[in-house]
Amino acid sequence: DQQVKQNSPSLSVQEGRISILNCDYTNSMFDYFLWYKKYPAEGPTFLISISSIKDKNEDGRFTVFLNKSAKHLSLHIVPSQPGDSAVYFCAAYNDYKLSFGAGTTVTVRA
Amino acid sequence: SQTIHQWPATLVQPVGSPLSLECTVEGTSNPNLYWYRQAAGRGLQLLFYSVGIGQISSEVPQNLSASRPQDRQFILSSKKLLLSDSGFYLCAWSSTDNQPQHFGDGTRLSIL
C-alpha cells in the first residue's frame, strides 16, 4: 500500500525557471516530511524537511509547502539549474518509519 | 562530520549463494540504522531498522536478515540468495526518530 505518492514520474523545465514537484500522502499520522535528491548510482541526499506544525520551510533555492488538510506537499526549486537534474523523492515519517514516494525525475534544459 | 560507508558498490552473485553487505557510520554514536531496497521505478522499501546493538526490527518478511554487532556497524545477510533479491540496497543512519536519514551510496546486487 503506497502511502506516499508522487504522481508525476518526470518533469522537464528550462534552466532559470521554477520546478514544482508534488507529493500526496494518505496517512494522517505522518508528522515530518522530507525531500531527497538522488543521482544515478548514488544514495539519496537529504534536501529539505518540514514539520507537520508548519506550512512552509525555505532553504536557499528550495522551498517546501505543506497542506495538511489536502494531505499534499510540494517542493519548489527556483531558479532551476542544470545540476538539479536528478530523481527527487518525497518521504514522510511515522515514528521511526520513513515512507517514500516512487520519485520524480527532473530534467533541466539549457 | 558524520560519514557513512557501504560496500561493495556492485556485486554479482549466483542463486543460492550467501550474502553479506556491510555498512559503517563514523562521527556519531548510537545512531538509528536502516537497510532499504529500491526496486526499479519504485521508492525505497524499508527492510530493517535498529536503534541499538543487537536490536533489529524487520519490516518485510523475506530471505534476508540483519545484524548490528557494533554500535556503528550494520550488516545485511542472506544464507541463500534468490533471483528476487536483485536490487539496489541502501544503508542509512539518523540521530534519532523523526530526523533526516543520511544514506550511503548503495550496493547494486545482481543475482544470476
Side-chain angles (χ1 to χ4, degrees):
Chain A
D1 180 28
Q2 197 78 0
Q3 297 186 68
V4 179
K5 297 180 182 178
Q6 295 176 255
N7 293 319
S8 297
S10 62
L11 171 70
S12 181
V13 63
Q14 193 167 11
E15 182 179 0
R17 307 296 289 268
I18 185 171
S19 294
I20 300 177
L21 291 83
N22 293 303
C23 179
D24 297 296
Y25 61 95
T26 58
N27 190 341
S28 58
M29 298 301 292
F30 288 146
D31 55 6
Y32 185 60
F33 303 87
L34 307 90
W35 284 94
Y36 284 84
K37 174 182 180 180
K38 184 182 181 301
Y39 294 118
E42 293 184 9
T45 301
F46 168 67
L47 268 180
I48 191 169
S49 62
I50 187 167
S51 166
S52 59
I53 62 174
K54 296 186 176 182
D55 56 17
K56 178 183 175 181
N57 188 27
E58 192 172 352
D59 183 2
R61 296 186 298 115
F62 302 93
T63 303
V64 56
F65 296 92
L66 176 62
N67 183 333
K68 283 189 66 179
S69 61
K71 292 190 175 67
H72 178 83
L73 68 156
S74 61
L75 174 68
H76 292 205
I77 307 173
V78 56
S80 299
Q81 299 175 353
D84 296 332
S85 294
V87 179
Y88 290 78
F89 290 99
C90 169
Y93 254 121
N94 178 18
D95 289 332
Y96 66 88
K97 185 171 181 179
L98 197 56
S99 297
F100 284 83
T104 297
T105 300
V106 173
T107 303
V108 180
R109 309 186 310 272
Chain B
S1 65
Q2 301 89 357
T3 56
I4 179 168
H5 303 280
Q6 188 180 344
W7 66 93
T10 59
L11 188 60
V12 180
Q13 292 283 97
V15 170
S17 63
L19 173 73
S20 180
L21 302 180
E22 189 163 343
C23 171
T24 59
V25 181
E26 297 177 357
T28 187
S29 59
N30 197 31
N32 287 358
L33 296 172
Y34 310 85
W35 278 111
Y36 288 87
R37 176 168 57 201
Q38 184 185 12
R42 302 190 67 179
L44 279 66
Q45 180 188 36
L46 179 64
L47 302 176
F48 299 97
Y49 160 74
S50 172
V51 297
I53 296 174
Q55 301 180 57
I56 309 294
S57 297
S58 174
E59 287 294 312
V60 182
Q62 57 203 328
N63 188 40
L64 302 170
S65 62
S67 62
R68 185 170 178 173
Q70 300 181 41
D71 180 44
R72 290 168 290 173
Q73 183 184 28
F74 207 23
I75 297 172
L76 183 69
S77 304
S78 174
K79 292 182 179 178
K80 284 187 176 182
L81 286 167
L82 307 172
L83 282 174
S84 57
D85 291 324
S86 293
F88 190 53
Y89 289 84
L90 288 154
C91 181
W93 74 273
S94 67
S95 55
T96 185
D97 296 345
N98 269 22
Q99 290 296 312
Q101 294 181 18
H102 304 279
F103 289 81
D105 282 338
T107 295
R108 174 71 61 191
L109 176 63
S110 299
I111 309 300
L112 303 179

